[in-house]
Amino acid sequence: MRVAAAPVMLCSRYVITLFKIPGWSRAPMMDKHDGIEAGDFASWLDNAIATLQGRSFSDVPCGDCRGCCRSAYFIHVRPTDKAALSVLPKAMLSPAPGWPAGHRLIGYDRHGACPMLKPAGCSIYAQRPRTCRDYDCRVFVAAGIEAEADKAEINRRIRAWRFTFANESDQRVLEAIRAAASFLRDKRHAFPGGRAPSAPSDIAVMAIKVYPVFLGPNLADKADTEIATEIIARSRVFDADCIA
């Protein structure tokens, strides 16, 4: 197992471990041909927001994909993950840097695979931690970006997903999410101290949280610093609705 970097808190229930590897790219725009059905976009977004706020879980049609299980992710295990803790070998758990006592991490093997992944799939699927239940790589598709360059299996899935849209309004929301992701990536200087998300995972999640800013009127007339201020305010409103 390897030593973990500190996790990033993205609302009280959603955590992505911090692996800021240089070199990530935009996900291709979706078309109507080929690929894997990602579901109705509006329905997905409603559930993604509920999951980020701790009110639901992700429902991902993974099929035979095990990308998130084989991509060198550290898995955060909370004290409230009672079922997972009851089946996880204690030797596999290490203290989670930056978290209070009782928060643990599961590492990965030399191939980047979770030690609980077996040939038939996750060996503790029914008891898997909240982190695993929350993970949904379609968030990258919504943000129009890919995961880190070393997450090849996940990026193949990201490129394959295809959302469907009930109307043009839903498509405008997608465009707003992608505009938010682009601003976060390209306009870090607009935020106080340049403090804005930099890892693809963090950018994608933040774009979901703050996209309404990019649906507002007269956006083109606003200074970058003004937009950044609105993003910070919107993020705080979103986090205020999180379940601890």
Side-chain angles (χ1 to χ4, degrees), residues 19-35:
F19 288 100
K20 297 185 170 127
I21 299 173
W24 58 279
S25 59
R26 296 180 185 276
M29 292 298 289
M30 292 170 287
D31 57 43
K32 299 178 182 178
H33 311 290
D34 300 325

Side-chain angles (χ1 to χ4, degrees), residues 99 205 210:
W99 288 88
V205 169
V210 306

Side-chain angles (χ1 to χ4, degrees), residues 7-52:
V8 174
M9 176 71 85
L10 298 173
C11 198
S12 58
R13 289 290 190 95
Y14 197 88
V15 176
I16 295 174
T17 50
L18 219 174
F19 288 100
K20 297 185 170 127
I21 299 173
W24 58 279
S25 59
R26 296 180 185 276
M29 292 298 289
M30 292 170 287
D31 57 43
K32 299 178 182 178
H33 311 290
D34 300 325
I36 300 170
E37 181 60 51
D40 174 71
F41 174 74
S43 299
W44 172 83
L45 181 60
D46 286 345
N47 188 69
I49 290 172
T51 298
L52 289 173

Side-chain angles (χ1 to χ4, degrees), residues 3-243:
V3 178
V8 174
M9 176 71 85
L10 298 173
C11 198
S12 58
R13 289 290 190 95
Y14 197 88
V15 176
I16 295 174
T17 50
L18 219 174
F19 288 100
K20 297 185 170 127
I21 299 173
W24 58 279
S25 59
R26 296 180 185 276
M29 292 298 289
M30 292 170 287
D31 57 43
K32 299 178 182 178
H33 311 290
D34 300 325
I36 300 170
E37 181 60 51
D40 174 71
F41 174 74
S43 299
W44 172 83
L45 181 60
D46 286 345
N47 188 69
I49 290 172
T51 298
L52 289 173
Q53 293 182 330
R55 296 181 281 106
S56 185
F57 296 102
S58 295
D59 182 15
V60 187
C62 299
D64 60 359
C65 180
R66 301 291 181 268
C68 59
C69 307
R70 295 192 289 239
S71 292
Y73 278 129
F74 286 97
I75 307 301
H76 178 214
V77 182
R78 302 165 176 79
T80 52
D81 287 318
K82 303 293 187 184
L85 288 167
S86 72
V87 296
L88 285 167
K90 289 184 172 57
M92 286 186 180
L93 299 169
S94 58
W99 288 88
H103 289 259
R104 304 292 184 187
L105 294 179
I106 306 171
Y108 50 89
D109 66 21
R110 62 192 181 90
H111 301 294
C114 172
M116 305 312 294
L117 180 67
K118 307 302 179 186
C122 178
S123 61
I124 60 164
Y125 187 80
Q127 298 87 19
R128 66 196 187 282
R130 172 96 200 192
T131 299
C132 301
R133 296 172 187 271
D134 286 352
Y135 188 85
D136 187 345
C137 64
R138 289 173 294 181
V139 70
F140 294 105
V141 183
I145 61 178
E146 294 186 354
E148 292 90 343
D150 70 328
K151 313 298 184 195
E153 191 170 355
I154 292 175
N155 285 329
R156 283 195 295 272
R157 189 71 170 200
I158 291 168
R159 296 178 196 123
W161 285 124
R162 298 292 185 271
F163 282 117
T164 56
F165 301 85
N167 50 56
E168 290 184 3
S169 177
D170 292 347
Q171 291 179 318
R172 285 195 294 273
V173 170
L174 175 71
E175 292 167 1
I177 294 171
R178 292 185 168 190
S182 293
F183 187 93
L184 290 164
R185 187 194 66 173
D186 299 334
K187 305 287 187 178
R188 291 178 56 81
H189 63 274
F191 293 86
R195 294 176 61 84
S198 58
S201 308
D202 300 348
I203 289 174
V205 169
M206 183 64 77
I208 296 292
K209 292 166 65 171
V210 306
Y211 78 85
V213 171
F214 292 83
L215 290 172
N218 306 317
L219 195 67
D221 298 329
K222 296 180 179 179
D224 289 345
T225 52
E226 184 179 357
I227 295 173
T229 298
E230 291 184 16
I231 286 173
I232 293 169
R234 182 71 194 185
S235 177
R236 288 172 177 166
V237 169
F238 187 100
D239 289 348
D241 289 333
C242 289
I243 297 174

